[in-house]
Amino acid sequence: MAVSDHVDFPTFMEGVKRRNPGQTEFVQAVQEVAQDIFDFISDKEEYHEAQILRRIAEPDRVISFRVCWEDDNHNIRVQRGWRVQNNNAIGPYKGGIRFHPSVTESVLKFLAFEQTFKNSLTGLPMGGGKGGANFNPRGKSDSEVMRFCQSFVNELYRHIGPDTDVPAGDIGVGGREIGYMFGQYKRLTNRWEGVLTGKGEEYGGSQMRPEATGYGAVYFLQNMLRHQKNDVDRKTAVISGSGNVATHAAEKIIQLGGKVLTLSDSGGFIHDPDGIDQEKIDWVKELKSVKRGRISEYADHFTGATFHKGKRPWNVPCDVALPCATQNELNEDEAKKLVSNGVIAVSEGANMPTTLEGVHVFHEAKIIYGPGKEANAGGVAVSGLEMSQNSGRISWNHGKLGEMLTDLMEGIHGKCVEYGDQGDGYVDYVKGANIAGFKKVADAMLAFGVV
Ligand code: NDP
């Protein structure tokens, strides 16, 4: 007789906390998923007998390594790098690389865990992983960033490969960093292969990849609103962040007839009551990704706009909110403020930007709430399409990829409604995504037996 893991939810979470001391982000992510899965599998003995939930909450492996590099003043610097390979039941590990001083093993384990369900939801054959380093690219010269990326890949290259693990960009890792890392991988292995996504179009990158996450988050918003017979047109939007995801989300909101009021960075937010139009977005893209400037400069440049130092934008009244900066950037009080100011929908471009308490506020108030796991899955979906194009030695055009992205986001929305519909017209998208994402991975794991 097999031993069942029929423990109750608090006992299960006690075990997760005990095995991962001090890893609050990871524990938070597991808790958010596990509570929905517990209900779903309560009458499904096969998952219990195979200890599927316990196995999914334990990464396949966590690789941690030293990254030494020399700065422009010839000081030797030492950083820590990681790659978390969470689960490859349905395809090669896939997930971004983050360079930010806040990166820890806990943050990367949470991101790799979430990525597993997100990738499953896309319907494409991709497992879940995440990596990064506690390196801050801000204020570093191009040569310093290059030396760091090369040193990072000197260790990472032996753990990745087009059929093993395919990293991509994330916070602090954009086209420049991917280029340096791909170049070093190619030099070390003497192979040109699709080992990273988010590459430049000149060397195997996919069209639509830069836009995919932000556009996808807005397509997801559009699907959620349509489900309630509503639309993006003429809605006011509050957006946080001013990086890749935020600027492309802003762009798509405008294209669909909405008005964007805010953008932010870790220094504060700007509020532009006239609306941030395409010309202003292009200016921000140049400011952040080429000049590496601060969002505060926006208020010096555009009249009518104000900069709010050290503040987040959630007090600004709006119809829709898109957190597109980082994790835990929207707390319970801020969620309450959004609700009292009349927000109707929230679509997360970032990963886990709303705290568990904040999510609870949205659910209580029956606000349409699309978590990052599904709302920002457009990025990894087009990364999956970049892998297909690299394997097939082909490249698809912008129009075709745009259609594929729209279809993928509609497909993800449909799956979430299937498992998240509460029967009274309200859709619990968190539950829908958790169950739909889990089921595919869990069924694949069952097929493999105990491995
Ligand atoms: P970028 O590095 O391009 O931009 C990140 C933005 O968030 C910057 O404006 C940055 O400001 C701001 N930010 C970072 N940390 C903080 C903080 N602690 N407080 C306030 N603002 C902060 O990253 P992306 O746009 O690529 O990623 C944004 C989010 O989207 C992340 O959660 C990422 O995991 C998620 N995501 C990204 C995908 C992609 O395709 N790029 C795919 C799926 C999810 P500053 O300049 O001050 O650092």
Side-chain angles (χ1 to χ4, degrees):
M1 176 71 185
V3 179
S4 164
D5 73 342
H6 250 301
V7 292
D8 60 11
F9 179 63
T11 312
F12 171 80
M13 283 313 304
E14 273 315 307
V16 173
K17 281 184 199 153
R18 202 175 48 249
R19 288 189 294 278
N20 301 280
Q23 301 196 339
T24 46
E25 295 86 357
F26 177 64
V27 171
Q28 177 186 344
V30 173
Q31 177 166 345
E32 190 242 13
V33 171
Q35 54 200 21
D36 289 331
I37 304 303
F38 251 79
D39 288 346
F40 176 68
I41 66 174
S42 62
D43 57 349
K44 299 178 179 63
E45 192 56 37
E46 66 275 25
Y47 295 125
H48 289 287
E49 278 189 7
Q51 302 265 9
I52 292 291
L53 196 50
R54 171 110 191 246
R55 283 156 66 185
I56 277 187
E58 195 70 45
D60 287 357
R61 68 189 63 78
V62 178
I63 302 148
S64 158
F65 49 95
R66 185 185 64 221
V67 188
C68 289
W69 59 285
E70 192 177 334
D71 69 21
D72 287 344
N73 297 320
H74 305 295
N75 299 308
I76 303 302
R77 310 282 289 265
V78 184
Q79 242 80 46
R80 187 170 291 174
W82 290 270
R83 185 71 185 164
V84 179
Q85 297 181 329
N86 194 66
N87 189 297
N88 68 352
I90 61 170
Y93 304 106
K94 177 99 199 82
I97 291 181
R98 177 177 293 191
F99 291 162
H100 195 270
S102 64
V103 166
T104 61
E105 189 172 312
S106 168
V107 167
L108 295 176
K109 277 173 70 179
F110 121 62
L111 289 165
F113 180 78
E114 291 271 299
Q115 193 81 44
T116 304
F117 298 92
K118 183 192 302 186
N119 292 1
S120 163
L121 278 174
T122 65
L124 300 173
M126 299 182 289
K130 201 86 187 185
N134 59 351
F135 168 73
N136 190 358
R138 194 188 306 159
K140 305 285 189 304
S141 69
D142 285 352
S143 324
E144 289 178 322
V145 171
M146 181 184 75
R147 286 195 293 278
F148 179 81
C149 289
Q150 291 177 340
S151 184
F152 185 78
V153 170
N154 283 348
E155 174 59 34
L156 184 73
Y157 89 97
R158 59 187 103 234
H159 307 291
I160 60 176
D163 297 317
T164 313
D165 184 350
V166 184
D170 191 66
I171 291 178
V173 177
R176 174 181 63 170
E177 291 77 13
I178 294 286
Y180 292 148
M181 289 196 270
F182 187 75
Q184 185 70 353
Y185 178 88
K186 197 167 64 58
R187 177 162 75 173
L188 290 169
T189 60
N190 196 26
R191 284 198 300 269
W192 194 111
E193 52 194 9
V195 70
L196 287 158
T197 57
K199 300 186 290 298
E201 279 180 36
E202 310 76 18
Y203 60 97
S206 177
Q207 291 194 19
M208 274 304 284
R209 178 61 189 91
E211 298 92 336
T213 308
Y215 280 18
V218 177
Y219 290 143
F220 198 80
L221 173 70
Q222 193 180 32
N223 276 289
M224 293 194 297
L225 288 171
R226 276 192 190 144
H227 194 70
Q228 306 295 338
K229 314 255 178 303
N230 209 332
D231 205 351
V232 175
D233 190 31
R234 278 180 289 185
K235 299 289 182 298
T236 50
V238 160
I239 299 181
S240 65
S242 49
N244 172 279
V245 180
T247 50
H248 288 107
E251 194 166 287
K252 186 50 75 181
I253 289 277
I254 295 167
Q255 287 171 12
L256 295 178
K259 182 176 178 183
V260 178
L261 299 175
T262 66
L263 288 172
S264 73
D265 64 17
S266 46
F269 79 92
I270 56 101
H271 179 200
D272 188 342
D274 296 335
I276 303 171
D277 60 19
Q278 186 62 50
E279 203 184 317
K280 292 170 177 175
I281 293 172
D282 290 342
W283 186 89
V284 173
K285 283 185 185 170
E286 168 93 5
L287 173 80
K288 295 300 281 187
S289 61
V290 182
K291 296 184 181 151
R292 316 243 163 221
R294 311 301 303 148
I295 200 67
S296 57
E297 295 169 48
Y298 183 103
D300 301 331
H301 195 80
F302 296 106
T303 46
T306 47
F307 175 63
H308 304 262
K309 190 168 183 233
K311 298 247 162 43
R312 301 194 286 220
W314 313 122
N315 280 350
V316 176
C318 61
D319 299 315
V320 296
L322 292 104
C324 295
T326 191
Q327 67 272 5
N328 293 329
E329 55 158 324
L330 201 169
N331 63 26
E332 184 178 13
D333 289 342
E334 290 163 324
K336 284 182 181 158
K337 191 71 192 168
L338 278 167
V339 172
S340 67
N341 277 340
V343 77
I344 56 171
V346 179
S347 183
E348 295 182 341
N351 284 313
M352 210 167 75
T354 310
T355 61
L356 280 176
E357 297 77 20
V359 174
H360 192 65
V361 170
F362 292 142
H363 279 160
E364 284 280 297
K366 303 253 171 180
I367 301 299
I368 304 170
Y369 168 69
K373 202 174 295 152
E374 57 221 87
N376 71 30
V380 75
V382 175
S383 274
L385 301 178
E386 183 172 330
M387 288 165 71
S388 307
Q389 293 170 81
N390 289 166
S391 306
R393 303 277 193 268
I394 45 168
S395 70
W396 295 322
N397 65 28
H398 206 267
K400 182 180 168 90
L401 286 156
E403 275 172 32
M404 289 167 105
L405 174 62
T406 329
D407 288 350
L408 279 160
M409 296 314 294
E410 202 178 317
I412 295 169
H413 180 263
K415 277 181 218 155
C416 297
V417 171
E418 184 183 341
Y419 290 102
D421 195 333
Q422 299 300 284
D424 58 356
Y426 185 67
V427 180
D428 182 338
Y429 286 96
V430 178
K431 186 175 188 174
N434 285 342
I435 296 175
F438 167 83
K439 192 171 179 312
K440 184 174 174 189
V441 177
D443 289 346
M445 289 171 76
L446 281 181
F448 303 145
V450 183
V451 290

